[in-house]
């Protein structure tokens, strides 16, 4: 059994959501058997199975409502895969999550907008399905059914063997053997310890990481003005341990998007030169940015992301559809947990995100011009 407690020297101790609690505990012994039933919008039953459930998340465990992970296991339902292809992707899941929105728990949009709008880019994203959750028959609020990053996700999406998967998450080994963490450490040490302006060093770096994945991931995070809780945390990357000859089984590190916090994509972050912040705080990114090829590709991709992925017109259409569909469910969910529909706040929240995307491109353009790196 793994119990989580905040110590006096823990930087999170001052934040109430990290205080000692029953819901902070993790691991198999805190899993509980349950039955989950999922209906589609026409009230047709899609799935009804025994499974294991656990509270999911970091600091968001202390907020309402809480995310819940659902695990298919042979001990519960006779299989380690759920029988329903929830996302109509040809994949039957070992685990899915009823996601409450994380730190964006009141309006639940930021993770959704980034994951759904960035699916064509070269890093991992999750699928989201909005749903209403009932717990023992009691209405429990608006959630999303989402995928979960683990060896099953990587095996299913990238067609590699799950026992060949290594995944690092927040500087810890999430999938694989403990000694596999040395592979991540060695990659970082090579890139940070060698001059990436020298082409043979940069070529070696491209053998260690999927540079398209890394660039798209960093360009997206920087474009959405993510910096205060990232890249120091809330990141994940994976590779195969051995080269299996397949497209993605080449032992290169690839990146995974998750946990977009409420300060990203907000009007008070629109003018922030996030590129400068990350160049100062991320030693590996700074080292790669010294290389002319990397820098040119990064500029090309972040401008593509601004022009195509997060163009004002595309974002306007996306936000209009989300707002139309989710306004009432969000209001009902907030009334359930906060005794307040928060309708005025909802309008201000959506408008804040809309303004961010209308103004962000020019800021990023100027940032590229202003951040001339001196090696």
């Amino acid at each position: 059994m793994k119990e989580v407690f905040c110590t006096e020297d823990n930087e999170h101790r001052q934040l109430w959501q990290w205080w000692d609690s029953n819901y902070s505990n993790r691991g198999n012994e805190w899993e509980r058997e349950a039955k989950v039933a999922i209906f589609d919008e026409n009230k047709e039953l899609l799935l009804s199975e025994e499974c294991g459930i656990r509270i999911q998340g970091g600091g968001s465990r202390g907020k309402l409502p809480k995310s819940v992970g659902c695990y298919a296991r042979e001990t519960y339902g006779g299989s380690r895969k759920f029988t329903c292809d929830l996302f109509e992707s040809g994949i039957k899941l070992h685990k899915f999550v009823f996601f409450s929105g994380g730190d964006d728990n009141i309006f639940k949009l930021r993770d959704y907008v980034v994951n759904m709008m960035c699916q064509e880019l070269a890093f991992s994203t999750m699928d989201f399905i909005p749903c209403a959750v009932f717990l023992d028959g009691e209405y429990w609020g608006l959630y999303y059914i989402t995928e979960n990053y683990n060896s099953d996700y990587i095996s299913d999406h990238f067609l590699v063997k799950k026992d060949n998967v290594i995944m690092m998450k927040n500087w810890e080994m999430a999938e694989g053997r403990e000694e596999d963490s040395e592979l991540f450490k060695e990659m970082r040490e090579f890139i940070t310890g060698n001059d990436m302006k020298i082409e043979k060093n940069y070529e070696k770096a491209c053998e260690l990481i999927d540079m398209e994945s890394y660039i798209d991931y960093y360009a997206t995070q920087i474009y959405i003005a993510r910096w205060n809780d990232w890249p120091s945390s809330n990141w994940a990357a994976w590779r195969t341990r051995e080269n299996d000859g397949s497209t993605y089984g080449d032992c290169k590190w690839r990146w995974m998007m998750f946990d977009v916090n409420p300060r990203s994509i907000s009007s008070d972050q629109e003018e922030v030169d996030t590129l400068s912040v990350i160049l100062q705080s991320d030693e590996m990114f700074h080292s790669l940015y010294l290389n002319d090829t990397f820098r040119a590709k990064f500029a090309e991709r972040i401008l593509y992301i601004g022009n195509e992925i997060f163009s004002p017109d595309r974002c306007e259409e996306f936000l209009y559809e989300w707002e139309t569909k989710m306004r009432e469910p969000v209001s009902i969910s907030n009334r359930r947990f906060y005794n307040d529909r928060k309708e005025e706040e909802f309008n201000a929240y959506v408008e804040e995100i809309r303004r961010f995307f209308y103004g962000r491109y020019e800021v990023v353009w100027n940032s590229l011009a202003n951040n001339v790196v001196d090696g």
Side-chain angles (χ1 to χ4, degrees):
M1 181 188 308
K2 180 179 179 181
E3 297 186 349
V4 180
F5 297 102
C6 294
T7 59
E8 291 183 0
D9 60 351
N10 190 320
E11 64 178 344
H12 291 134
R13 184 67 178 181
Q14 61 185 321
L15 303 175
W16 64 266
Q17 63 261 40
W18 289 95
W19 291 353
D20 302 341
S21 60
N22 184 53
Y23 52 72
S24 298
N25 293 302
R26 304 166 185 255
N28 290 340
E29 293 196 35
W30 290 93
E31 185 171 306
R32 297 294 181 264
E33 185 173 358
K35 184 171 184 177
V36 60
I38 298 177
F39 298 83
D40 67 15
E41 58 190 9
N42 297 315
K43 301 181 181 180
E44 295 292 331
L45 182 65
L46 298 177
L47 178 151
S48 179
E49 297 179 32
E50 302 291 331
C51 68
I53 60 171
R54 302 184 203 172
I55 299 296
Q56 176 103 357
S60 64
R61 288 168 176 258
K63 298 184 177 183
L64 291 174
K66 305 183 192 306
S67 296
V68 177
C70 299
Y71 300 78
R73 302 197 189 282
E74 292 184 1
T75 53
Y76 300 136
S79 172
R80 69 177 309 278
K81 296 279 188 178
F82 288 101
T83 58
C84 178
D85 177 6
L86 284 174
F87 299 100
E88 299 181 347
S89 61
I91 296 171
K92 293 183 178 179
L93 304 173
H94 164 61
K95 177 185 178 183
F96 63 85
V97 177
F98 288 113
F99 177 60
S100 67
D103 288 329
D104 191 16
N105 58 310
I106 294 177
F107 300 113
K108 313 173 192 294
L109 175 56
R110 285 180 167 89
D111 268 292
Y112 181 72
V113 69
V114 173
N115 277 272
M116 299 304 287
M117 295 188 74
C118 292
Q119 291 184 350
E120 74 169 70
L121 300 179
F123 53 81
S124 294
T125 57
M126 300 180 194
D127 267 330
F128 282 60
I129 302 173
C131 68
V133 170
F134 291 80
L135 184 60
D136 288 338
E138 180 181 352
Y139 175 67
W140 212 254
L142 173 67
Y143 282 73
Y144 295 102
I145 302 172
T146 72
E147 298 175 280
N148 184 75
Y149 291 146
N150 52 29
S151 59
D152 288 276
Y153 172 98
I154 295 165
S155 177
D156 290 336
H157 283 269
F158 297 99
L159 305 180
V160 297
K161 293 182 179 179
K162 66 188 301 289
D163 61 3
N164 195 25
V165 168
I166 302 167
M167 187 174 84
M168 294 289 294
K169 184 177 181 181
N170 297 339
W171 309 105
E172 295 183 353
M173 178 61 57
E175 297 285 358
R177 310 163 188 158
E178 277 304 314
E179 61 268 24
D180 291 334
S181 62
E182 288 299 311
L183 295 171
F184 189 79
K185 179 181 177 182
E186 290 166 4
M187 175 273 291
R188 284 187 55 85
E189 287 180 346
F190 176 81
I191 293 174
T192 59
N194 290 277
D195 186 353
M196 290 295 113
K197 297 191 298 294
I198 299 173
E199 201 58 31
K200 68 176 183 179
N201 288 339
Y202 183 69
E203 290 173 0
K204 175 64 175 177
C206 291
E207 295 174 5
L208 296 173
I209 69 178
D210 181 328
M211 204 59 73
E212 289 186 4
S213 177
Y214 184 86
I215 288 174
D216 275 7
Y217 175 77
Y218 268 75
T220 300
Q221 298 277 33
I222 288 169
Y223 196 91
I224 66 174
R226 181 106 180 261
W227 61 273
N228 55 323
D229 70 334
W230 174 89
S232 59
S233 64
N234 289 328
W235 61 268
W238 74 275
R239 56 162 281 185
T240 52
R241 183 181 301 106
E242 298 177 0
N243 192 327
D244 64 11
S246 67
T247 301
Y248 296 102
D250 54 9
C251 299
K252 292 184 180 184
W253 291 98
R254 293 176 168 88
W255 271 258
M256 316 178 85
M257 176 69 69
F258 72 98
D259 202 5
V260 179
N261 74 60
R263 292 196 64 193
S264 307
I265 326 178
S266 60
S267 56
D268 64 345
Q269 301 297 306
E270 178 188 328
E271 299 290 335
V272 173
D273 184 354
T274 319
L275 175 57
S276 176
V277 173
I278 301 306
L279 282 169
Q280 295 176 51
S281 63
D282 190 314
E283 188 179 7
M284 181 169 147
F285 181 78
H286 182 275
S287 182
L288 289 167
Y289 203 76
L290 296 174
N291 180 272
D292 291 342
T293 302
F294 178 93
R295 201 161 55 250
K297 186 64 174 177
F298 176 85
E300 174 191 332
R301 294 303 291 172
I302 199 169
L303 294 178
Y304 173 84
I305 287 166
N307 274 317
E308 301 294 336
I309 303 300
F310 294 130
S311 70
D313 287 348
R314 187 167 187 252
C315 290
E316 181 65 47
E317 180 181 358
F318 187 95
L319 289 173
Y320 175 78
E321 291 180 0
W322 182 87
E323 186 178 10
T324 301
K325 179 171 63 175
M326 301 295 281
R327 174 183 293 277
E328 188 64 14
V330 168
S331 295
I332 294 171
S333 186
N334 286 332
R335 186 174 62 187
R336 162 67 177 82
F337 284 102
Y338 306 107
N339 197 30
D340 184 350
R341 291 172 65 92
K342 299 186 181 294
E343 291 174 316
E344 291 185 8
E345 294 95 327
F346 179 93
N347 294 334
Y349 174 91
V350 175
E351 184 58 30
E352 179 181 43
I353 291 176
R354 182 179 286 113
R355 287 200 308 270
F356 175 89
F357 284 124
Y358 269 96
R360 184 60 175 167
Y361 186 86
E362 184 177 355
V363 174
V364 169
W365 177 276
N366 292 332
S367 176
L368 290 171
N370 294 335
N371 285 286
V372 179
V373 175
D374 183 1

